[in-house]
PDB file of all heavy atoms in Angstrom:
ATOM      1  N   GLU A 107       2.068  16.359  28.642  1.00  0.00           N
ATOM      2  CA  GLU A 107       2.450  15.444  29.696  1.00  0.00           C
ATOM      3  C   GLU A 107       1.277  14.482  30.010  1.00  0.00           C
ATOM      4  O   GLU A 107       1.430  13.261  30.213  1.00  0.00           O
ATOM      5  CB  GLU A 107       2.927  16.123  30.935  1.00  0.00           C
ATOM      6  CG  GLU A 107       4.202  16.950  30.708  1.00  0.00           C
ATOM      7  CD  GLU A 107       5.388  16.120  30.251  1.00  0.00           C
ATOM      8  OE1 GLU A 107       5.449  14.908  30.531  1.00  0.00           O
ATOM      9  OE2 GLU A 107       6.252  16.706  29.523  1.00  0.00           O
ATOM     10  N   GLY A 108       0.053  15.051  30.095  1.00  0.00           N
ATOM     11  CA  GLY A 108      -1.107  14.208  30.291  1.00  0.00           C
ATOM     12  C   GLY A 108      -1.309  13.234  29.181  1.00  0.00           C
ATOM     13  O   GLY A 108      -1.661  12.076  29.411  1.00  0.00           O
ATOM     14  N   SER A 109      -1.194  13.715  27.931  1.00  0.00           N
ATOM     15  CA  SER A 109      -1.373  12.843  26.814  1.00  0.00           C
ATOM     16  C   SER A 109      -0.376  11.730  26.752  1.00  0.00           C
ATOM     17  O   SER A 109      -0.716  10.545  26.489  1.00  0.00           O
ATOM     18  CB  SER A 109      -1.367  13.641  25.476  1.00  0.00           C
ATOM     19  OG  SER A 109      -2.522  14.445  25.362  1.00  0.00           O
ATOM     20  N   LEU A 110       0.905  12.062  26.979  1.00  0.00           N
ATOM     21  CA  LEU A 110       1.947  11.039  26.992  1.00  0.00           C
ATOM     22  C   LEU A 110       1.693   9.964  28.067  1.00  0.00           C
ATOM     23  O   LEU A 110       1.849   8.767  27.843  1.00  0.00           O
ATOM     24  CB  LEU A 110       3.307  11.688  27.211  1.00  0.00           C
ATOM     25  CG  LEU A 110       3.884  12.504  26.084  1.00  0.00           C
ATOM     26  CD1 LEU A 110       5.055  13.348  26.551  1.00  0.00           C
ATOM     27  CD2 LEU A 110       4.279  11.619  24.903  1.00  0.00           C
ATOM     28  N   LYS A 111       1.211  10.437  29.226  1.00  0.00           N
ATOM     29  CA  LYS A 111       0.946   9.490  30.351  1.00  0.00           C
ATOM     30  C   LYS A 111      -0.233   8.532  29.956  1.00  0.00           C
ATOM     31  O   LYS A 111      -0.149   7.334  30.145  1.00  0.00           O
ATOM     32  CB  LYS A 111       0.602  10.237  31.608  1.00  0.00           C
ATOM     33  CG  LYS A 111       0.389   9.361  32.812  1.00  0.00           C
ATOM     34  CD  LYS A 111       0.176  10.196  34.058  1.00  0.00           C
ATOM     35  CE  LYS A 111      -0.037   9.271  35.261  1.00  0.00           C
ATOM     36  NZ  LYS A 111      -0.250  10.077  36.522  1.00  0.00           N
ATOM     37  N   ARG A 112      -1.300   9.137  29.439  1.00  0.00           N
ATOM     38  CA  ARG A 112      -2.465   8.305  29.060  1.00  0.00           C
ATOM     39  C   ARG A 112      -2.109   7.350  27.903  1.00  0.00           C
ATOM     40  O   ARG A 112      -2.591   6.240  27.847  1.00  0.00           O
ATOM     41  CB  ARG A 112      -3.652   9.200  28.685  1.00  0.00           C
ATOM     42  CG  ARG A 112      -4.328   9.883  29.884  1.00  0.00           C
ATOM     43  CD  ARG A 112      -5.542  10.661  29.486  1.00  0.00           C
ATOM     44  NE  ARG A 112      -5.272  11.810  28.609  1.00  0.00           N
ATOM     45  CZ  ARG A 112      -4.921  13.001  29.060  1.00  0.00           C
ATOM     46  NH1 ARG A 112      -4.866  13.252  30.358  1.00  0.00           N
ATOM     47  NH2 ARG A 112      -4.694  13.995  28.206  1.00  0.00           N
ATOM     48  N   LEU A 113      -1.349   7.836  26.934  1.00  0.00           N
ATOM     49  CA  LEU A 113      -0.974   7.059  25.773  1.00  0.00           C
ATOM     50  C   LEU A 113       0.114   6.005  26.131  1.00  0.00           C
ATOM     51  O   LEU A 113       0.400   5.129  25.274  1.00  0.00           O
ATOM     52  CB  LEU A 113      -0.516   7.938  24.645  1.00  0.00           C
ATOM     53  CG  LEU A 113      -1.593   8.769  23.974  1.00  0.00           C
ATOM     54  CD1 LEU A 113      -0.974   9.873  23.130  1.00  0.00           C
ATOM     55  CD2 LEU A 113      -2.480   7.886  23.070  1.00  0.00           C
ATOM     56  N   GLN A 114       0.708   6.157  27.261  1.00  0.00           N
ATOM     57  CA  GLN A 114       1.811   5.278  27.684  1.00  0.00           C
ATOM     58  C   GLN A 114       2.896   5.146  26.645  1.00  0.00           C
ATOM     59  O   GLN A 114       3.339   4.078  26.241  1.00  0.00           O
ATOM     60  CB  GLN A 114       1.221   3.879  28.071  1.00  0.00           C
ATOM     61  CG  GLN A 114       0.191   3.936  29.194  1.00  0.00           C
ATOM     62  CD  GLN A 114      -0.133   2.613  29.772  1.00  0.00           C
ATOM     63  OE1 GLN A 114       0.748   1.827  30.108  1.00  0.00           O
ATOM     64  NE2 GLN A 114      -1.425   2.347  29.937  1.00  0.00           N
ATOM     65  N   THR A 115       3.342   6.277  26.206  1.00  0.00           N
ATOM     66  CA  THR A 115       4.395   6.382  25.194  1.00  0.00           C
ATOM     67  C   THR A 115       5.364   7.506  25.540  1.00  0.00           C
ATOM     68  O   THR A 115       5.001   8.438  26.275  1.00  0.00           O
ATOM     69  CB  THR A 115       3.825   6.552  23.773  1.00  0.00           C
ATOM     70  OG1 THR A 115       4.860   6.517  22.813  1.00  0.00           O
ATOM     71  CG2 THR A 115       3.094   7.922  23.650  1.00  0.00           C
ATOM     72  N   ASP A 116       6.519   7.472  25.009  1.00  0.00           N
ATOM     73  CA  ASP A 116       7.515   8.528  25.280  1.00  0.00           C
ATOM     74  C   ASP A 116       7.453   9.691  24.272  1.00  0.00           C
ATOM     75  O   ASP A 116       8.052  10.730  24.490  1.00  0.00           O
ATOM     76  CB  ASP A 116       8.957   7.940  25.127  1.00  0.00           C
ATOM     77  CG  ASP A 116       9.226   6.911  26.209  1.00  0.00           C
ATOM     78  OD1 ASP A 116       8.631   7.061  27.335  1.00  0.00           O
ATOM     79  OD2 ASP A 116      10.014   5.956  25.954  1.00  0.00           O
ATOM     80  N   TYR A 117       6.683   9.494  23.192  1.00  0.00           N
ATOM     81  CA  TYR A 117       6.603  10.535  22.153  1.00  0.00           C
ATOM     82  C   TYR A 117       5.314  10.461  21.405  1.00  0.00           C
ATOM     83  O   TYR A 117       4.653   9.432  21.323  1.00  0.00           O
ATOM     84  CB  TYR A 117       7.794  10.433  21.187  1.00  0.00           C
ATOM     85  CG  TYR A 117       7.769   9.169  20.358  1.00  0.00           C
ATOM     86  CD1 TYR A 117       7.197   9.124  19.111  1.00  0.00           C
ATOM     87  CD2 TYR A 117       8.298   7.963  20.851  1.00  0.00           C
ATOM     88  CE1 TYR A 117       7.147   7.945  18.345  1.00  0.00           C
ATOM     89  CE2 TYR A 117       8.302   6.788  20.134  1.00  0.00           C
ATOM     90  CZ  TYR A 117       7.682   6.807  18.884  1.00  0.00           C
ATOM     91  OH  TYR A 117       7.647   5.645  18.152  1.00  0.00           O
ATOM     92  N   ILE A 118       4.909  11.578  20.901  1.00  0.00           N
ATOM     93  CA  ILE A 118       3.715  11.727  20.027  1.00  0.00           C
ATOM     94  C   ILE A 118       4.203  11.975  18.608  1.00  0.00           C
ATOM     95  O   ILE A 118       5.045  12.872  18.429  1.00  0.00           O
ATOM     96  CB  ILE A 118       2.772  12.833  20.543  1.00  0.00           C
ATOM     97  CG1 ILE A 118       2.169  12.444  21.871  1.00  0.00           C
ATOM     98  CG2 ILE A 118       1.688  13.172  19.517  1.00  0.00           C
ATOM     99  CD1 ILE A 118       1.581  13.619  22.637  1.00  0.00           C
ATOM    100  N   ASP A 119       3.687  11.245  17.643  1.00  0.00           N
ATOM    101  CA  ASP A 119       4.207  11.428  16.283  1.00  0.00           C
ATOM    102  C   ASP A 119       3.753  12.753  15.674  1.00  0.00           C
ATOM    103  O   ASP A 119       4.540  13.477  15.047  1.00  0.00           O
ATOM    104  CB  ASP A 119       3.731  10.259  15.423  1.00  0.00           C
ATOM    105  CG  ASP A 119       4.380   8.939  15.893  1.00  0.00           C
ATOM    106  OD1 ASP A 119       5.528   8.746  15.618  1.00  0.00           O
ATOM    107  OD2 ASP A 119       3.638   8.146  16.514  1.00  0.00           O
ATOM    108  N   LEU A 120       2.456  13.023  15.837  1.00  0.00           N
ATOM    109  CA  LEU A 120       1.945  14.339  15.290  1.00  0.00           C
ATOM    110  C   LEU A 120       1.048  14.947  16.367  1.00  0.00           C
ATOM    111  O   LEU A 120      -0.011  14.454  16.698  1.00  0.00           O
ATOM    112  CB  LEU A 120       1.127  14.101  14.008  1.00  0.00           C
ATOM    113  CG  LEU A 120       0.586  15.350  13.329  1.00  0.00           C
ATOM    114  CD1 LEU A 120       1.737  16.195  12.736  1.00  0.00           C
ATOM    115  CD2 LEU A 120      -0.410  15.005  12.216  1.00  0.00           C
ATOM    116  N   TYR A 121       1.487  16.088  16.919  1.00  0.00           N
ATOM    117  CA  TYR A 121       0.749  16.757  17.994  1.00  0.00           C
ATOM    118  C   TYR A 121       0.083  17.988  17.348  1.00  0.00           C
ATOM    119  O   TYR A 121       0.770  18.866  16.776  1.00  0.00           O
ATOM    120  CB  TYR A 121       1.721  17.199  19.100  1.00  0.00           C
ATOM    121  CG  TYR A 121       1.051  17.530  20.383  1.00  0.00           C
ATOM    122  CD1 TYR A 121      -0.076  16.809  20.843  1.00  0.00           C
ATOM    123  CD2 TYR A 121       1.565  18.549  21.196  1.00  0.00           C
ATOM    124  CE1 TYR A 121      -0.639  17.152  22.078  1.00  0.00           C
ATOM    125  CE2 TYR A 121       1.000  18.810  22.465  1.00  0.00           C
ATOM    126  CZ  TYR A 121      -0.082  18.133  22.872  1.00  0.00           C
ATOM    127  OH  TYR A 121      -0.668  18.429  24.068  1.00  0.00           O
ATOM    128  N   GLN A 122      -1.233  18.036  17.441  1.00  0.00           N
ATOM    129  CA  GLN A 122      -1.951  19.003  16.661  1.00  0.00           C
ATOM    130  C   GLN A 122      -2.701  20.018  17.528  1.00  0.00           C
ATOM    131  O   GLN A 122      -3.251  19.691  18.613  1.00  0.00           O
ATOM    132  CB  GLN A 122      -3.029  18.294  15.809  1.00  0.00           C
ATOM    133  CG  GLN A 122      -2.460  17.283  14.867  1.00  0.00           C
ATOM    134  CD  GLN A 122      -3.516  16.298  14.372  1.00  0.00           C
ATOM    135  OE1 GLN A 122      -4.068  16.428  13.323  1.00  0.00           O
ATOM    136  NE2 GLN A 122      -3.726  15.254  15.182  1.00  0.00           N
TER     137      GLN A 122
END
Side-chain angles (χ1 to χ4, degrees):
E107 296 302 331
S109 289
L110 289 168
K111 183 176 180 180
R112 286 186 294 273
L113 290 164
Q114 300 193 49
T115 185
D116 295 329
Y117 65 94
I118 292 163
D119 295 286
L120 184 68
Y121 198 36
Q122 301 161 97

